[in-house]
Amino acid sequence: MTDENKTWHQKHKDSLTRGQRAADLMRNGMGSWPFVGGFIGFMIIWAAINTLVLASKAWDPYPYILLNLFLSMLAGLQGAILLIAAKRQDAIAGVMAQHDYDTNLKAEKEIQALMTINRQQLEILAELKALGDTPRT
């Protein structure tokens, strides 16, 4: 597809850096029900292994301090990734708003041109009607 045929969405997507694409993928993954369900499942398995299976030799016995550390690190990373993605989403919204504004300005100019043509046509029709209404001698 040539650059002229691309929409601004496609041009924007092509201009993303690897980090921005990664942030979008992670945001989409972390903000989903499968992630939540998988994460809850992981914590249940962690607790079950450390409480029931490895009762005497657990690497992280209750109150699961190592799991708490991992959760805290994950929360810190998720916060940063979500802020990066949110900042990008704000930039996209700004570009979309500008695009909508530019489109509206162009449409307004085209409507004004059509209204001018319409007025001219109405004047011509009025003149033709006046010519048709005059008695012929």
Side-chain angles (χ1 to χ4, degrees):
M1 184 180 286
T2 64
D3 204 36
E4 292 177 10
N5 294 337
K6 289 185 176 181
T7 65
W8 74 269
H9 293 282
Q10 292 166 326
K11 290 177 186 176
H12 177 74
K13 190 174 182 180
D14 291 344
S15 72
L16 296 178
T17 66
R18 182 181 292 171
Q20 290 170 329
R21 286 190 184 116
D24 285 345
L25 283 172
M26 293 179 82
R27 177 200 63 210
N28 293 340
M30 287 185 292
S32 67
W33 283 110
F35 176 81
V36 172
F39 200 70
I40 290 171
F42 170 78
M43 290 190 298
I44 289 170
I45 290 169
W46 182 285
I49 289 173
N50 281 286
T51 304
L52 305 173
V53 177
L54 303 173
S56 61
K57 297 180 184 179
W59 71 83
D60 188 23
Y62 183 82
Y64 313 118
I65 294 171
L66 185 60
L67 178 62
N68 192 10
L69 174 66
F70 288 149
L71 293 175
S72 296
M73 289 188 298
L74 179 65
L77 286 173
Q78 279 182 320
I81 291 167
L82 292 175
L83 284 174
I84 291 167
K87 186 170 73 170
R88 283 197 3 75
Q89 197 62 36
D90 288 345
I92 290 169
V95 171
M96 287 177 70
Q98 184 63 46
H99 182 264
D100 289 346
Y101 178 74
D102 293 341
T103 301
N104 288 344
L105 284 179
K106 185 177 177 182
E108 183 180 9
K109 288 177 184 176
E110 290 175 359
I111 289 170
Q112 290 298 330
L114 290 173
M115 292 299 290
T116 301
I117 291 170
N118 191 7
R119 274 197 274 326
Q120 291 171 348
Q121 289 175 338
L122 289 174
E123 289 172 5
I124 291 170
L125 285 173
E127 289 174 9
L128 288 173
K129 184 177 181 198
L131 285 175
D133 289 344
T134 57
R136 294 189 185 151
T137 56

